[in-house]
Amino acid sequence: PMPAVTPPPLEFRTRSLYLAAYLRVVGVPLARVERGSQLASFVFSDAEGRCVQLERDYAADRVVGPIAAYARAVVEVKKLANGGL
């Protein structure tokens, strides 16, 4: 029998530093950074095909919340869980 061929994962590319940061925060794997003569391109592995929707949500300001506020909330919840605050 012939071995199964796994197709390469789908990729999503952006030059936006801010969108790239958001995609990293929500767990999309960064495959590589391509550096050209001007702007770098961030290339993400998108095997689940969710980057286009994440980009739409980001552009429409439909993300969970500001990243800094989210980080502060996580710290507060950890303190509460450990009996602090």
Side-chain angles (χ1 to χ4, degrees), residues 37-56:
S37 60
Q38 295 189 356
L39 295 175
S41 289
F42 302 92
V43 183
F44 290 87
S45 297
D46 190 21
E48 297 174 8
R50 62 188 192 130
C51 283
V52 170
Q53 186 60 52
L54 287 169
E55 180 184 33
R56 285 182 189 140

Side-chain angles (χ1 to χ4, degrees), residues 7-62:
L10 297 175
E11 293 184 334
F12 178 83
R13 179 183 315 266
T14 183
R15 289 188 172 174
S16 168
L17 178 75
Y18 301 105
L19 177 58
Y22 170 67
L23 293 176
R24 298 237 344 162
V25 166
V26 297
V28 180
L30 180 64
R32 64 186 176 280
V33 177
E34 296 176 349
R35 291 171 182 84
S37 60
Q38 295 189 356
L39 295 175
S41 289
F42 302 92
V43 183
F44 290 87
S45 297
D46 190 21
E48 297 174 8
R50 62 188 192 130
C51 283
V52 170
Q53 186 60 52
L54 287 169
E55 180 184 33
R56 285 182 189 140
D57 292 343
Y58 175 83
D61 202 20
R62 289 188 307 243

